[in-house]
Amino acid sequence: MENSTSTRVAVAGGTGTVGRHVLQSLADRGIETVVLTRSSGVDLLTGAGLTGVLAGVSAVVDVTSVASTSSARSRDFFGTVTRTLLEAGRAAGVRHHVALSIVGVDRGRTGHYAGKLVQERLVEDGPVPWTILRATQFHELAAQMHQALRVGPVHLAPRMRSQPVAAAEVGRRLAELALGDPAGRARELAGPHEESMLAMVRAYDRATGGRGRVVGVPLPGPLGRAMRRGDLLPGPEAELGTETFDQWLRRTSGRD
Ligand SMILES: NC(=O)c1ccc[n+]([C@@H]2O[C@H](COP(=O)([O-])OP(=O)(O)OC[C@H]3O[C@@H](n4cnc5c(N)ncnc54)[C@H](OP(=O)(O)O)[C@@H]3O)[C@@H](O)[C@H]2O)c1
């Protein structure tokens, strides 16, 4: 399907952690893009601003997200956004819908993962030919947790086995998938090796001049158990990215 003179790809969530890499990767190939975010005037929860924006679009990449640990809120967000995108895509003649999901989403089941499961099912049963890519946690998640999970001077990190991958590598893969034919379930994408989230957040804290007060906490419920048991690790068939967490940290904290 790749043809840089006529292909137009819409990226829902194109200003986000991974979305900006999808856009960059498409731009590097000379592909015209359309960004669907509230900051660019399109609200995918209400449908406001969506009229006409998918005209001439061949593929939609959905990398939207909601910052919530509530299963109900996550189901509501991903259900509504996915239905809105699929219906608008069908009406506009979009030929390919690409969704980013998470490795082990069916084993995590609760919180954010509850909504991702709803999204996957809607895409699979939806009116637009599709590809779903499941990726592991981004290296960037350590930075997000360092910022968000804080009690006074102490940073908290979930007890979690992960095989994190650079968001840039996920963005590149999504761009390639969007330019290819609908493929159903793509091979999982993970980073080069397993890490502990606690060690990642500690390393991030050190690299950014913190005082090293990072404490590991077990999260409750099925998602917390899945995190600790290693249920969110990739299977043996997964494609592996190349950038390690340490390399990512050196690159992004300016120590390279
Ligand atoms: N973080 C990880 O480790 C990880 C790993 C694997 C998969 N994933 C999946 O990757 C996806 C993207 O995650 P991310 O961390 O890159 O997200 P993010 O940085 O939080 O970005 C979310 C994007 O969604 C847009 N958005 C939010 N609400 C919207 C609305 N109502 N209408 C239109 N756009 C909206 C935001 O733009 P505005 O605010 O301007 O609307 C932003 O561009 C998620 O679905 C997540 O499940 C994440």
Side-chain angles (χ1 to χ4, degrees):
M1 189 160 101
E2 187 161 359
N3 174 355
S4 60
T5 56
S6 63
T7 306
R8 199 159 182 244
V9 176
V11 183
T15 53
T17 307
V18 70
R20 66 189 69 148
H21 293 292
V22 179
L23 285 179
Q24 184 60 55
S25 221
L26 291 166
D28 290 346
R29 294 154 180 263
I31 303 293
E32 194 188 335
T33 53
V34 185
V35 177
L36 312 179
T37 57
R38 289 167 301 182
S39 43
S40 67
V42 178
D43 188 335
L44 293 165
L45 282 178
T46 63
L50 197 52
T51 309
V53 295
L54 294 184
V57 163
S58 51
V60 170
V61 180
D62 182 7
V63 282
T64 55
S65 197
V66 61
S68 172
T69 53
S70 148
S71 301
R73 183 128 190 261
S74 178
R75 278 194 205 98
D76 190 43
F77 177 86
F78 286 107
T80 306
V81 166
T82 305
R83 281 189 200 94
T84 302
L85 275 176
L86 289 171
E87 180 45 34
R90 185 201 59 74
V94 168
R95 297 194 299 272
H96 191 182
H97 182 97
V98 180
L100 177 62
S101 189
I102 310 175
V103 169
V105 72
D106 33 5
R107 299 184 290 270
R109 296 197 330 269
T110 51
H112 185 79
Y113 287 46
K116 300 303 290 181
L117 268 181
V118 170
Q119 177 185 20
E120 284 197 356
R121 288 179 189 145
L122 287 168
V123 170
E124 282 176 320
D125 295 341
V128 181
W130 54 274
T131 301
I132 293 174
L133 173 68
R134 286 181 172 185
T136 52
Q137 292 66 47
F138 307 150
H139 295 327
E140 285 80 351
L141 189 59
Q144 288 158 357
M145 286 183 169
H146 186 261
Q147 224 169 8
L149 303 180
R150 189 174 179 168
V151 183
V154 179
H155 297 271
L156 307 178
R159 295 248 168 228
M160 176 178 194
R161 295 175 62 190
S162 176
Q163 192 161 324
V165 62
E169 294 191 87
V170 180
R172 270 199 295 280
R173 187 76 191 104
L174 287 166
E176 283 165 14
L177 289 168
L179 298 174
D181 293 324
R185 293 206 171 257
R187 273 173 75 195
E188 293 180 347
L189 178 60
H193 57 72
E194 185 181 334
E195 307 267 1
S196 109
M197 188 55 71
L198 175 57
M200 289 163 63
V201 177
R202 279 201 176 125
Y204 182 84
D205 185 71
R206 271 195 308 276
T208 54
R211 284 180 295 164
R213 301 179 72 183
V214 182
V215 176
V217 286
L219 292 191
L223 182 54
R225 276 195 299 282
M227 286 175 166
R228 291 190 294 282
R229 278 200 307 236
D231 286 353
L232 308 183
L233 294 171
E237 304 300 321
E239 179 184 342
L240 301 185
T242 58
E243 189 172 49
T244 65
F245 178 74
D246 283 347
Q247 288 167 338
W248 171 84
L249 192 53
R250 281 201 298 276
R251 176 169 65 81
T252 55
S253 59
R255 291 188 298 144
D256 252 358

